[in-house]
Amino acid sequence: VRLVESGGGSVQAGGSLTLSCVGSGFTFSRCGMGWFRQAPGTERELVASVSWGIPRYADSVKGRFTVSQDNTKSTLTLQMNNLLQDDSALYRCAADCSRSQDMTPPTHWGPGTQVTVSS
């Protein structure tokens, strides 16, 4: 099983970034997928996920982030708009291939991609 993220980087506040996660070695369409983030000194946060085809978002990103899952390409995408300095973190893609698909906890993790938002 492998999850590989891309698309992180540095951006000014108010800008946008698109993160992508490509999965392999498992049946992508049968798993819940999500994006977690963690900044130094903070708890890990599930910011967006797709479980049983239903997208969910943390309150902190609602209206700004959009998650989408393309099963034909085994790709999970996170479109992040109107970025805030508080969005700076290591973003990790995760899969939950258990029956619940509820990411508590995920069954597989990617290494992560860094997002840095400056003022």
Side-chain angles (χ1 to χ4, degrees):
V1 173
R2 192 173 184 213
L3 295 171
V4 179
E5 304 95 337
S6 62
S10 298
V11 65
Q12 287 191 322
S16 299
L17 283 174
T18 302
L19 305 184
S20 295
C21 170
V22 178
S24 60
F26 64 103
T27 305
F28 195 85
S29 61
R30 294 184 181 179
C31 298
M33 299 296 301
W35 289 95
F36 287 80
R37 70 183 181 186
Q38 188 169 21
T42 69
E43 292 190 358
R44 187 170 60 207
E45 177 185 27
L46 175 60
V47 296
S49 64
V50 181
S51 297
W52 300 106
I54 301 172
R56 293 181 175 87
Y57 300 92
D59 288 342
S60 58
V61 306
K62 278 182 182 176
R64 301 187 297 118
F65 290 12
T66 302
V67 64
S68 58
Q69 182 172 348
D70 185 342
N71 293 328
T72 65
K73 298 180 180 179
S74 297
T75 299
L76 182 74
T77 301
L78 185 67
Q79 175 66 43
M80 306 186 293
N81 297 326
N82 191 22
L83 283 160
L84 309 172
Q85 284 188 270
D86 285 348
D87 294 320
S88 297
L90 180 69
Y91 284 72
R92 298 182 70 185
C93 175
D96 183 353
C97 300
S98 68
R99 183 176 297 179
S100 68
Q101 296 190 10
D102 63 4
M103 299 288 167
T104 59
T107 52
H108 309 296
W109 291 93
T113 186
Q114 180 68 38
V115 171
T116 302
V117 184
S118 60
S119 60

